[in-house]
Amino acid sequence: MALYDVDIRPQLDQVSPDIANPQSSRLDEDDSTLSSASSDRSVRSVESTTASKGKWKANINGDWRYGSSESATSTAMSSVSSSTAAEDKTITRPQFTSPLKKRMSDGSIKQPPLRLNSSIGSASEQPQAVPEQPQQDQQTQHIPPKKKRGRPPKDKSLLAQPAPKAPKASRISELKDEVRPRSSIPSRLPAEVHASQAIEAAYASRLNPFELHRGEHSLLADLLMSHEVTVYLNIRNAILRLWHQNPLCGVTPKEAAGCAKEARFFGLAEAAYKWLVRNGYINFGCVETPRDAGIAKSRRSGKQKTVVVVGAGVSGLTTARQLEHLFEHDAKRWTDVGERPPKVIVLEGRKRIGGRVYSKQLRDQVPGSLPDDLRNTVEMGAMIVTGFEHGNPLDTIIRGQLGLRYHLMKDALTIYDSDGRPVDEQRDMLNTELYADISDRAGDFRAAPQDTNTLKGDEELISRCRDPISDGFADFQLEPLPNPMDHLPQYKPAAKRGRRRNAPPQTEKLTGRTRVIEMSNATQSAARAAKEMGWQLREGIARNQSISLNEMARASSHPTLGSVMDDAIEQYQDLVQLTPQDMRMLNWHHANLEYANAAPVSSLSLSGHDQDTGNEFEGAHSEIIGGYTQLPRGLMNLPTKLDVRFDRVVDSIHYNEGAPGESEYTTKVVCSDGQIIEADQVVMTVPLGVLKDDVVDFDPPLPGWKYGVIQRMGFGLLNKVILLYDQSFWDDDRDMFGLLNDAEQQNSLDPEEYARRRGRFYLIWNASKISGRPALVALMAGHAAHDAETTDSNSLLAEINDRLRTVFSPEKVTAPSEVIVTRWKRDPFTRGTYSYVGPRTRSGDYDLMAKPVGNLHFAGEATCGTHPATVHGAFLSGLRVASDVMTAMTGPIDLPLPLVGAPTIKQETVARYNMPQTVPLPPQPSISTNTPATAQVNAPIIKQEHDPTSLASVPVYASAPAPPPPKLAGPPKQSVCARDDSFWARPSFDHNDLDYEASIVGTILSRLGDRPLKPSRPGVNPFLLFTKAKWDECKAHCSRDASTAGRDAIRATLGKWWKAATEEEKRPYLEQSEQAQKVADTQRKEWAEGVEKWDAEARRIRQEFVAEHPPPVVQGEGVGGSKRKSNNSSWVVLDHV
Ligand SMILES: Cc1cc2nc3c(=O)[nH]c(=O)nc-3n(C[C@H](O)[C@H](O)[C@H](O)COP(=O)(O)OP(=O)(O)OC[C@H]3O[C@@H](n4cnc5c(N)ncnc54)[C@H](O)[C@@H]3O)c2cc1C
């Protein structure tokens, strides 16, 4: 049977008569990745892979031997013994060994002489080029299978090369122009507004604005005094703000320097800039890299290193694009030693880019059906962008740089029962809440995520865009470092932010629903929880009766989520009457989880299946109009075309594992057509499914720890049946609808009976808005996804049509004009859909997947533990691996030392201490070579911050009236006037307009003061009141059993006490809670009135202002609403997009 893209006509006898129109229907058995044209060739390429292996062996004149089992085993064994544990990876914690340090007058930091043990966060131990090898998997002792061995012929000329000189030069240190401190901080912008934008930009970059990232911590911890952390964070956040203002222009070193408020902090700006660039927080994507004019000439000659990236999916293209940026940013490192910056070659096995992002062009194109002449496509793979807000890096690319059109999805969802009738909404809600409760109870067995503690800044100062004010002496004083105890690992319950109220955890990953779960009911007895949801308890069931999942969770050493949740469903059946329809609904939610994880719930790890919870983005989910492939296309083509070579199926990789004496070999990547490409670094981005199936040979074989993690990780399956019609018969305003499925044994109450069928077309998306044609995408999830691989397309078509006809009536459902069935498991370049956490997967396995072996690096969605199984995860993995490769090639980030110059002492301080007015001049940090050092001493530069509330001096602009602004933007969440759309500016590129907006805001604030602050939520939860009241008693109780009762143990005991407490015992807390709620309600009402008044006044002042001072002319609308027009970043606006 042909596997790929075979055109078949629906068999008329299998298809219902009203749809069996042989003229109009056409089925594509799509391999999900190959267009009709390319499918044959792909089959051939796979065949040729095998065939050419023999050919390739013959070509190498005996040098290419397929290694004996002996050598393979011995290599494996050596890696076994040399490697360290692949046990759950513990995150390196900073261990402060020195309680005191001081900054000397020359700016250097003096550590006390006695160091008890070496600091992990030490700058001298900056990020390692090659991370530590994880230890061998002790439990499973994986021995890699015997591999074909042998190296391609040695290239003697390469062997003779001298060892590369360590490139040192830093481009920033060669800046010629003078940089003025604060030049990137708009003086007319109130400090709070600037702070709010900078904080928002940090969040939008997935960074904590008030805390160092782990990478920053290990780079800087030993070089910073505590109070300098705040200064650093202010600079770092301000640089991020510049980037988010306009990601169409890279932030330049000069702009970064201008984020410092004093010249002596330019070193901090340099550190922040370099760290942000290296790690892909700024200047990434389809943007020109800020160029160093002086190096263009020397680049045309000289040696050039090569990085080969295998795979042109989103991760591969991002890796290549980012490496090009990094090489360009640091070009001097190579030109200074007579080389050209390295080149990047992408080898792709298919004839197209995008991998699992594949927008297949429809057979019949209807010109003009989509704006901008976009083509009519349907998504075979990824389709949904899961929210643009709160850190999705794709926001920068899709909206900020490429300006792609997208459709925001609505989360309205009607679910139809197996008889075609819509499910009663109330019943739907009851079951949704019950499912969420069961999911939360199963969540008790979730592995606690590890938290990292890094140096923190002063939150209050950062929120007001203030640096700590130095008295000129503090820097010379001994300063205690944070308590070492603060840096021990802490265990926190998994965050719940971002979950939808109506859906279990993880489903938000890919579906369009966005409501948020608030407090879980799972702390109360199951009977009480069910009662509160609205379920009728069975007769004789006491309210404190509960369910226990312990037994099932402990029954296996690798318990699954499915077994425990099904056990919970069965136990709930004893408490409430669940009907077969309820069972169908609960199983619909199972199917939804199976979709999000691409695996049956019975294959998901109980403790880790949702290890990425808490990292979800915010905002409505969306789909790209005209096809998601526009993203990888943009990454490949902009700003300059990447060197992507198609039809290059990588067959084997001969890499350097970094063992002593290995340097005599060069790294080679061998394609199935016999082509050999020599490389200095190799990045593998092939899907986990391809690695699992051992398709690519590695020489030497991958070490046991790597092989072990590849086996332990799950790689799942999801399939789609895509139907194109001439006319839609569904409500085109809806984005999706759901279908319930019967059990194998109809009306069964046994959860297991539902497992096989529940994922069959359980969710159907209306893809018309993005395809430009009436199109439905029906999902086959869980076991059904595997059925789709083996069921013929006609049967699938007949089945989906039957279902549609029960929902929309037979007359309405016409024959589809095109049908495409995906079969991702059979696709040789993917072999499944995306990764999941299986029962044997361990916490930290995603990080192990990301670890390099010698000069062989790994990227792809399965290497991104924070955002696996997604396009943005693939993108982030590309940024991460590019940084790893750069570090491997050039070493860690080089920092200017000292990082902070000596402070300038204020006149009054000098007078007070009767000091001589000059202090020794520190060498100026390299970011500003031209700032006259003496000027700093003579003219004190530690300025008092201006008071943002005194805005009398806010300038106004009188110029020609502007056309109406193009688009309304949202306010920063942290701002003083969030949520009032009228208050916020509409983005444009015009800097005058930005300043103009600042003037309006300033005027409003100066007249009205701050917008009333929303009253904080009262502590109305009775359980919290109970916890507060009983804490000490409980602590004493717990200490009797254990010498040290931890907070978690006390909380757990309190939970039990609360559960066991009688109504009488609970009453005072319930009453107190009610009382507090009443007070809160009154305060909220008052606040709402105040805000309404304030907003009305603000609108009035705005109108007045605009009438008196017409706005400057707006020069044009920007792609994606960027706000920083060019690299001159003193232009700002008060809104964000
Ligand atoms: C059906 C489906 C639905 C999805 N839905 C969503 C969604 O709605 N939202 C979302 O965010 N994510 C979704 N995803 C997940 C998302 O598509 C992936 O996580 C992401 O695209 C993976 O990118 P990648 O670069 O890691 O891998 P890939 O895109 O698979 O790229 C790997 C590349 O390597 C190439 N390759 C493989 N073997 C070789 C070889 N031997 N030699 C040379 N090249 C080779 C492949 O051809 C491919 O181009 C979905 C995935 C699927 C399959």
Side-chain angles (χ1 to χ4, degrees):
M1 179 177 138
L3 298 187
Y4 314 106
D5 229 287
V6 180
D7 265 3
I8 49 167
R9 305 267 168 217
Q11 289 165 19
L12 299 184
D13 53 347
Q14 290 176 15
V15 181
S16 45
D18 45 342
I19 61 152
N21 174 357
Q23 252 65 43
S24 57
S25 285
R26 164 183 154 140
L27 276 76
D28 281 354
E29 284 200 23
D30 198 279
D31 73 331
S32 306
T33 55
L34 302 163
S35 68
S36 315
S38 62
S39 58
D40 282 347
R41 276 171 297 211
S42 260
V43 178
R44 276 202 297 279
S45 73
V46 178
E47 283 161 0
S48 75
T49 309
T50 340
S52 62
K53 278 180 184 168
K55 224 190 312 169
W56 169 67
K57 190 176 178 182
N59 279 348
I60 47 104
N61 302 326
D63 282 335
W64 281 89
R65 67 201 145 76
Y66 288 156
S68 67
S69 59
E70 218 179 281
S71 60
T73 319
S74 65
T75 316
M77 291 310 289
S78 73
S79 61
V80 166
S81 51
S82 64
S83 57
T84 46
E87 284 299 324
D88 299 349
K89 201 193 91 173
T90 45
I91 293 162
T92 311
R93 313 252 151 234
Q95 290 171 8
F96 288 99
T97 52
S98 155
L100 300 170
K101 59 181 179 180
K102 61 178 176 177
R103 189 171 292 287
M104 307 305 286
S105 58
D106 63 355
S108 63
I109 286 190
K110 187 174 177 196
Q111 301 284 356
L114 230 186
R115 291 175 70 91
L116 296 176
N117 53 34
S118 69
S119 161
I120 291 178
S122 145
S124 56
E125 295 172 49
Q126 287 166 357
Q128 305 258 315
V130 181
E132 233 177 84
Q133 300 290 322
Q135 280 173 13
Q136 166 67 19
D137 177 342
Q138 312 241 322
Q139 210 177 10
T140 45
Q141 286 283 322
H142 293 294
I143 305 290
K146 290 172 187 173
K147 307 286 287 186
K148 287 166 280 178
R149 298 289 318 280
R151 285 188 173 274
K154 291 175 196 171
D155 181 341
K156 299 268 166 29
S157 65
L158 283 166
L159 301 185
Q161 280 175 17
K165 284 184 225 161
K168 272 222 143 163
S170 143
R171 195 154 57 89
I172 292 177
S173 65
E174 292 185 359
L175 276 178
K176 297 281 183 305
D177 299 340
E178 189 170 310
V179 179
R180 194 168 47 84
R182 290 174 175 269
S183 56
S184 299
I185 305 174
S187 56
R188 294 190 194 98
L189 194 64
E192 273 81 357
V193 179
H194 182 270
S196 146
Q197 291 176 351
I199 288 167
E200 194 68 18
Y203 281 129
S205 310
R206 301 166 308 287
L207 290 172
N208 185 336
F210 309 112
E211 199 174 305
L212 296 186
H213 180 274
R214 246 187 322 152
E216 288 169 305
H217 183 99
S218 60
L219 187 68
L220 300 171
D222 264 9
L223 303 177
L224 290 179
M225 305 291 285
S226 286
H227 69 274
E228 288 162 1
V229 176
T230 301
V231 182
Y232 172 85
L233 287 169
N234 270 333
I235 295 171
R236 179 255 258 172
N237 297 345
I239 297 173
L240 288 167
R241 172 185 160 277
L242 293 181
W243 170 242
H244 283 273
Q245 292 275 311
N246 184 8
L248 285 171
C249 300
V251 180
T252 65
K254 281 188 214 166
E255 286 181 306
C259 291
K261 293 182 187 155
E262 296 176 40
R264 70 191 184 102
F265 295 139
F266 281 178
L268 293 180
E270 180 164 346
Y273 181 72
K274 286 183 169 175
W275 187 81
L276 293 172
V277 167
R278 172 74 67 94
N279 292 285
Y281 287 102
I282 59 170
N283 299 2
F284 62 85
C286 311
V287 65
E288 294 265 1
T289 313
R291 220 171 251 257
D292 206 335
I295 53 173
K297 228 179 175 183
S298 52
R299 230 187 268 174
R300 284 195 217 109
S301 57
K303 277 184 297 187
Q304 191 173 32
K305 292 194 169 69
T306 304
V307 180
V308 167
V309 177
V310 183
V314 168
S315 62
L317 293 170
T318 308
T319 306
R321 175 60 61 215
Q322 182 66 3
L323 279 173
E324 300 251 323
H325 284 314
L326 294 180
F327 294 154
E328 180 84 27
H329 254 286
D330 258 352
K332 252 180 140 318
R333 281 181 181 263
W334 285 278
T335 54
D336 279 0
V337 291
E339 291 183 25
R340 284 179 289 167
K343 65 171 181 255
V344 186
I345 298 172
V346 183
L347 300 177
E348 168 55 50
R350 302 179 213 251
K351 293 185 185 313
R352 64 166 180 86
I353 54 161
R356 284 169 271 175
V357 174
Y358 176 28
S359 315
K360 187 176 163 73
Q361 209 164 319
L362 289 173
R363 195 161 32 102
D364 299 323
Q365 294 289 307
V366 177
S369 52
L370 285 177
D372 300 341
D373 291 331
L374 288 168
R375 287 175 299 174
N376 302 117
T377 60
V378 277
E379 303 294 2
M380 306 288 110
M383 177 155 148
I384 293 172
V385 183
T386 56
F388 283 116
E389 314 292 330
H390 216 280
N392 190 343
L394 299 182
D395 184 25
T396 303
I397 314 290
I398 292 174
R399 300 201 295 186
Q401 294 174 344
L402 299 177
L404 300 183
R405 290 181 180 270
Y406 55 91
H407 164 65
L408 285 175
M409 296 174 80
K410 299 185 203 111
D411 62 1
L413 172 71
T414 304
I415 297 184
Y416 296 92
D417 205 346
S418 47
D419 61 4
R421 281 190 224 158
V423 171
D424 171 63
E425 256 188 52
Q426 252 185 330
R427 200 74 195 173
D428 178 14
M429 185 57 91
L430 268 186
N431 279 289
T432 303
E433 288 195 8
L434 180 60
Y435 195 82
D437 172 279
I438 289 171
S439 163
D440 273 340
R441 285 174 204 276
D444 285 350
F445 302 96
R446 184 186 293 144
Q450 287 193 345
D451 202 8
T452 49
N453 263 338
T454 57
L455 285 178
K456 293 177 180 50
D458 183 320
E459 194 162 332
E460 215 260 318
L461 289 178
I462 292 171
S463 301
R464 294 166 54 227
C465 190
R466 299 285 198 281
D467 286 350
I469 293 180
S470 161
D471 62 3
F473 288 91
D475 300 278
F476 299 98
Q477 290 159 9
L478 286 174
E479 182 179 339
L481 275 173
N483 182 348
M485 293 303 286
D486 290 346
H487 296 271
L488 293 176
Q490 287 187 353
Y491 297 92
K492 279 189 187 167
K496 287 207 161 58
R497 183 183 63 75
R499 286 202 212 161
R500 270 159 285 121
R501 191 202 304 280
N502 269 359
Q506 275 226 346
T507 49
E508 63 274 302
K509 231 191 227 168
L510 304 176
T511 58
R513 306 169 94 189
T514 50
R515 277 169 280 175
V516 174
I517 285 181
E518 281 158 0
M519 271 304 280
S520 142
N521 272 330
T523 45
Q524 23 182 348
S525 74
R528 188 167 286 115
K531 185 88 190 138
E532 273 184 20
M533 290 173 221
W535 290 90
Q536 181 79 42
L537 295 183
R538 282 182 189 273
E539 214 173 308
I541 296 295
R543 277 180 156 234
N544 61 0
Q545 204 161 320
S546 202
I547 63 174
S548 168
L549 305 180
N550 280 327
E551 203 179 317
M552 183 53 84
R554 309 213 189 290
S556 153
S557 49
H558 300 290
T560 69
L561 179 71
S563 61
V564 169
M565 288 186 78
D566 281 352
D567 186 35
I569 293 175
E570 283 181 319
Q571 292 189 44
Y572 258 115
Q573 286 175 344
D574 296 337
L575 307 181
V576 299
Q577 172 88 48
L578 291 181
T579 63
Q581 191 195 39
D582 295 325
M583 291 300 289
R584 290 195 289 276
M585 280 193 254
L586 292 172
N587 275 281
W588 186 90
H589 287 290
H590 263 348
N592 206 21
L593 256 185
E594 293 179 337
Y595 154 58
N597 291 282
V601 284
S602 56
S603 302
L604 298 178
S605 156
L606 174 64
S607 59
H609 73 280
D610 60 349
Q611 48 93 38
D612 55 323
T613 297
N615 299 324
E616 298 86 355
F617 303 133
E618 288 168 6
H621 291 186
S622 45
E623 303 160 310
I624 306 297
I625 296 172
Y628 212 156
T629 299
Q630 293 169 87
L631 170 78
R633 206 180 298 140
L635 285 170
M636 179 175 76
N637 290 327
L638 295 169
T640 50
K641 209 169 165 103
L642 293 173
D643 181 358
V644 180
R645 303 185 186 173
F646 295 95
D647 248 342
R648 295 281 190 282
V649 181
V650 170
D651 202 31
S652 61
I653 297 175
H654 305 261
Y655 65 99
N656 292 347
E657 61 179 346
E662 205 191 19
S663 57
E664 58 181 299
Y665 295 110
T666 51
T667 292
K668 296 186 179 182
V669 180
V670 183
C671 298
S672 61
D673 60 3
Q675 272 220 11
I676 300 169
I677 297 165
E678 295 184 343
D680 296 274
Q681 305 284 327
V682 179
V683 182
M684 277 300 269
T685 74
V686 303
L688 177 59
V690 172
L691 291 175
K692 272 182 177 290
D693 282 3
D694 237 355
V695 180
V696 181
D697 290 328
F698 295 100
D699 174 27
L702 293 178
W705 62 265
K706 192 66 160 190
Y707 183 75
V709 67
I710 290 171
Q711 300 310 315
R712 287 194 302 271
M713 298 264 300
F715 195 67
L717 190 63
L718 166 78
N719 273 311
K720 297 177 175 180
V721 175
I722 296 160
L723 306 153
L724 180 75
Y725 296 90
D726 292 332
Q727 251 187 341
S728 53
F729 47 81
W730 55 91
D731 179 355
D732 233 350
D733 273 348
R734 294 294 187 102
D735 286 314
M736 59 189 134
F737 55 95
L739 300 182
L740 299 186
N741 280 297
D742 280 323
E744 284 175 281
Q745 194 74 37
Q746 229 187 354
N747 292 337
S748 171
L749 293 179
D750 178 358
E752 274 192 20
E753 295 268 354
Y754 289 82
R756 288 221 67 82
R757 297 190 42 80
R758 63 183 165 228
R760 297 188 85 80
F761 312 117
Y762 90 97
L763 190 71
I764 301 185
W765 277 318
N766 168 17
S768 314
K769 297 265 183 344
I770 53 167
S771 297
R773 304 289 311 283
L776 294 178
V777 177
L779 298 185
M780 295 283 274
H783 290 289
H786 293 267
D787 293 345
E789 298 273 330
T790 49
T791 312
D792 71 279
S793 300
N794 279 316
S795 309
L796 291 171
L797 175 60
E799 185 181 336
I800 178 71
N801 266 296
D802 272 353
R803 298 302 309 273
L804 291 173
R805 286 164 72 230
T806 55
V807 172
F808 297 105
S809 90
E811 304 76 52
K812 284 188 179 170
V813 180
T814 53
S817 56
E818 198 172 343
V819 180
I820 304 167
V821 179
T822 69
R823 294 195 171 90
W824 282 98
K825 183 87 187 154
R826 294 189 204 172
D827 178 342
F829 295 109
T830 306
R831 296 166 191 258
T833 46
Y834 36 86
S835 63
Y836 68 88
V837 182
R840 284 170 195 277
T841 313
R842 302 174 188 171
S843 78
D845 269 359
Y846 275 95
D847 295 339
L848 274 190
M849 278 299 300
K851 280 209 178 303
V853 183
N855 65 348
L856 176 63
H857 302 260
F858 292 84
E861 57 82 14
T863 67
C864 181
T866 52
H867 303 87
T870 56
V871 178
H872 50 266
F875 185 87
L876 288 172
S877 79
L879 296 181
R880 188 261 312 145
V881 84
S883 163
D884 290 352
V885 170
M886 188 70 183
T887 303
M889 294 182 93
T890 64
I893 295 169
D894 55 327
L895 295 175
L897 289 175
L899 215 46
V900 178
T904 313
I905 300 168
K906 284 193 280 183
Q907 301 294 339
E908 57 269 37
T909 314
V910 171
R912 185 146 56 105
Y913 290 92
N914 197 18
M915 280 181 67
Q917 201 170 343
T918 45
V919 290
L921 283 182
Q924 282 304 297
S926 52
I927 201 157
S928 164
T929 48
N930 287 6
T931 307
T934 46
Q936 291 180 53
V937 180
N938 298 336
I941 51 161
I942 304 176
K943 291 186 202 155
Q944 281 301 320
E945 302 271 346
H946 89 265
D947 180 359
T949 53
S950 115
L951 291 156
S953 63
V954 171
V956 290
Y957 291 83
S959 53
K967 173 168 121 191
L968 195 68
K973 288 190 191 84
Q974 318 273 332
S975 74
V976 282
C977 33
R979 285 175 296 279
D980 177 11
D981 283 347
S982 70
F983 192 76
W984 291 96
R986 293 144 196 269
S988 82
F989 279 114
D990 192 276
H991 73 281
N992 288 326
D993 183 41
L994 313 182
D995 290 341
Y996 179 76
E997 191 55 39
S999 311
I1000 300 180
V1001 175
T1003 310
I1004 294 173
L1005 286 177
S1006 65
R1007 294 212 202 145
L1008 299 181
D1010 283 351
R1011 193 172 192 255
L1013 280 180
K1014 195 173 182 177
S1016 55
R1017 278 154 55 108
V1020 288
N1021 183 330
F1023 175 64
L1024 286 183
L1025 295 171
F1026 175 82
T1027 303
K1028 214 169 156 190
K1030 297 280 180 183
W1031 185 268
D1032 290 340
E1033 187 188 335
C1034 187
K1035 192 173 174 187
H1037 170 84
C1038 292
S1039 307
R1040 278 209 301 273
D1041 301 334
S1043 54
T1044 50
R1047 294 175 77 80
D1048 285 348
I1050 299 171
R1051 276 202 200 99
T1053 311
L1054 279 166
K1056 284 182 198 151
W1057 285 9
W1058 178 251
K1059 272 187 200 168
T1062 62
E1063 290 301 309
E1064 199 55 36
E1065 286 165 336
K1066 285 184 179 173
R1067 180 163 308 130
Y1069 305 103
L1070 293 167
E1071 282 172 1
Q1072 252 189 64
S1073 150
E1074 255 170 46
Q1075 193 54 36
Q1077 186 60 57
K1078 274 184 200 153
V1079 174
D1081 288 347
T1082 317
Q1083 283 176 349
R1084 235 182 143 82
K1085 201 167 154 230
E1086 283 167 8
W1087 169 77
E1089 286 165 5
V1091 157
E1092 204 182 333
K1093 218 169 122 194
W1094 194 96
D1095 288 351
E1097 274 299 285
R1099 266 190 292 274
R1100 189 186 56 72
I1101 296 171
R1102 172 180 284 277
Q1103 277 161 9
E1104 264 177 33
F1105 187 98
V1106 174
E1108 280 171 33
H1109 316 286
V1113 179
V1114 176
Q1115 287 170 350
E1117 187 181 356
V1119 179
S1122 300
K1123 286 153 275 180
R1124 189 170 52 95
K1125 183 177 167 94
S1126 78
N1127 288 340
N1128 181 341
S1129 53
S1130 50
W1131 303 336
V1132 279
V1133 75
L1134 301 175
D1135 57 4
H1136 76 177
V1137 178

